[in-house]
Amino acid sequence: MSFITDIMKTAEQVFIEFLKENNLSMTPQRKIIVETFLETEGHFSAERLCGLVKGKASEIGQATIYRTLKLLVDSGLAESIEVGDGSALYEHSYGHDHHDHLICVHCNRKIEIYDDAIEKRQEEVASELGFKLTRHRMYLFGICPECAGQES
Amino acid sequence: MSFITDIMKTAEQVFIEFLKENNLSMTPQRKIIVETFLETEGHFSAERLCGLVKGKASEIGQATIYRTLKLLVDSGLAESIEVGDGSALYEHSYGHDHHDHLICVHCNRKIEIYDDAIEKRQEEVASELGFKLTRHRMYLFGICPECAGQES
DNA sequence: ATCTCTGCAAACCTTTTGCATAGCT
DNA sequence: AGCTATGCAAAAGGTTTGCAGAGAT
């Protein structure tokens, strides 16, 4: 069994436990949705996931997919990125370390970034104001090297 | 003429110049909308601005308000904060220094924050990856001292 | 005349909800 | 029975667009 399949299995277990804790159960639909979610790399929209799921099992309704996606977020398996264009993108968060995003405003490429110094200062800034930090979102927007090169 | 009115006048001038540069003109509707925008402090939604504008001139359509709000953002007078709840909030950005936001997830209070060290590292992180940074958004979410106190 | 500008209403688009049915336990 | 779960279709909610008329130059 490959490493990646291994991670997926574990993630699925985590999801099943989350369901149990909330008196919910793993259903065939949820199983297909979660597996599709786990197989899909990178950042994708709910709509894209709908397409992928329907490719496997077209009888699954979009409402179920949206509902399951919400469960995935609640369970901590998924995280959503909101880049202010109306719709959300999702990505895996189980077995992935926290990171922020650097986004090319030209080609829309998204790079995951992480900086210890920033994370530390965020905590400090919040606590100086008496806040207990629970989470944060940071998006850096710029022009990536490739796009800067072609200078369309 | 008070200081605040002074700033407003200048801001309005900046807007008028922006309009001119784009072959647009200052109309009575835009004037009312812009002035209402400039008078309104803090973070507010498009809907809220609509209400305020309509209070002064009920005949102004919401489409015009949305269109003008977009012009305000393009002109650099307004900035939008997108906190992933579907709708955007706006705030002044003319005569205001750049800042990020610390948001209480309990009472929704928004505090403006600024940290030199973070700003500097953002630039560095981006440039290490070959990006030319154009802007960024950072939202810190946490519990404010007041809300932590009452522990509802 | 030829522009932009406006208000109205309708369209949009992603996400959510209501509801009746189906499936567990 | 009494739950949760599902699919469908409709609703929601914020924002945008089409359009025909009005206004400006």
Side-chain angles (χ1 to χ4, degrees):
Chain A
M1 185 184 281
S2 78
F3 176 67
I4 186 86
T5 318
D6 220 42
I7 288 264
M8 278 177 53
K9 272 277 166 287
T10 321
E12 206 174 309
Q13 278 311 318
V14 170
F15 188 60
I16 290 172
E17 263 150 50
F18 167 83
L19 291 173
K20 273 193 193 134
E21 277 163 24
N22 292 276
N23 287 314
L24 307 172
S25 47
M26 181 55 112
T27 64
Q29 288 90 338
R30 283 182 182 152
K31 197 164 166 48
I32 289 172
I33 295 165
V34 170
E35 285 174 358
T36 307
F37 167 79
L38 292 171
E39 283 162 22
T40 308
E41 292 302 324
H43 312 97
F44 47 89
S45 63
E47 197 197 2
R48 168 101 187 286
L49 187 65
C50 280
L52 293 169
V53 167
K54 290 199 179 241
K56 290 187 185 179
S58 62
E59 69 281 3
I60 297 182
Q62 64 156 10
T64 304
I65 299 171
Y66 273 95
R67 287 187 276 233
T68 306
L69 211 31
K70 188 163 288 181
L71 292 174
L72 281 165
V73 171
D74 290 347
S75 72
L77 287 203
E79 203 153 307
S80 70
I81 333 175
E82 334 250 355
V83 215
D85 50 343
S87 71
L89 294 183
Y90 295 86
E91 65 181 2
H92 303 174
S93 53
Y94 180 81
H96 292 242
D97 291 330
H98 160 72
H99 57 260
D100 291 292
H101 293 94
L102 174 57
I103 300 160
C104 177
V105 295
H106 225 246
C107 66
N108 223 25
R109 191 153 64 104
K110 293 170 190 67
I111 292 183
E112 304 183 350
I113 54 175
Y114 177 83
D115 186 73
D116 246 333
I118 291 177
E119 301 282 325
K120 201 168 152 201
R121 277 304 294 156
Q122 287 171 334
E123 283 291 348
E124 288 169 5
V125 168
S127 83
E128 276 162 22
L129 290 159
F131 274 62
K132 198 174 143 233
L133 208 55
T134 54
R135 65 193 178 90
H136 71 263
R137 287 296 151 92
M138 182 175 78
Y139 304 108
L140 307 184
F141 299 92
I143 313 273
C144 76
E146 283 74 16
C147 288
Q150 28 181 103
E151 206 58 79
S152 79
Chain B
M1 185 183 283
S2 76
F3 176 66
I4 186 85
T5 318
D6 220 40
I7 288 265
M8 277 177 52
K9 273 275 168 287
T10 320
E12 205 172 310
Q13 278 311 317
V14 170
F15 188 60
I16 290 171
E17 264 150 51
F18 167 84
L19 290 173
K20 271 191 195 137
E21 279 162 23
N22 291 275
N23 288 313
L24 306 172
S25 48
M26 183 55 114
T27 63
Q29 289 90 337
R30 285 180 182 154
K31 196 165 166 47
I32 289 173
I33 296 165
V34 171
E35 284 172 358
T36 308
F37 167 80
L38 292 170
E39 283 162 24
T40 308
E41 291 302 324
H43 311 99
F44 47 88
S45 63
E47 195 196 3
R48 168 101 186 286
L49 187 66
C50 278
L52 294 168
V53 167
K54 291 199 179 243
K56 290 185 182 178
S58 61
E59 69 282 2
I60 296 181
Q62 65 157 10
T64 304
I65 299 170
Y66 274 94
R67 287 188 275 235
T68 306
L69 210 32
K70 189 164 288 185
L71 291 175
L72 281 165
V73 171
D74 290 345
S75 73
L77 286 201
E79 203 152 308
S80 69
I81 333 175
E82 334 251 357
V83 216
D85 50 342
S87 72
L89 295 183
Y90 295 86
E91 65 182 1
H92 304 173
S93 53
Y94 181 80
H96 291 241
D97 290 329
H98 160 73
H99 57 261
D100 292 292
H101 293 92
L102 175 57
I103 301 161
C104 177
V105 294
H106 226 245
C107 66
N108 223 25
R109 189 153 65 103
K110 291 170 191 65
I111 292 182
E112 302 182 352
I113 55 175
Y114 177 83
D115 185 74
D116 245 332
I118 291 177
E119 302 281 326
K120 203 169 150 202
R121 276 304 293 156
Q122 287 172 333
E123 284 290 349
E124 288 169 4
V125 168
S127 82
E128 277 163 21
L129 289 160
F131 274 64
K132 199 174 142 229
L133 209 57
T134 54
R135 66 193 179 88
H136 71 263
R137 288 297 151 88
M138 182 176 78
Y139 305 109
L140 306 184
F141 299 92
I143 313 274
C144 76
E146 284 72 16
C147 288
Q150 27 182 100
E151 206 56 76
S152 81

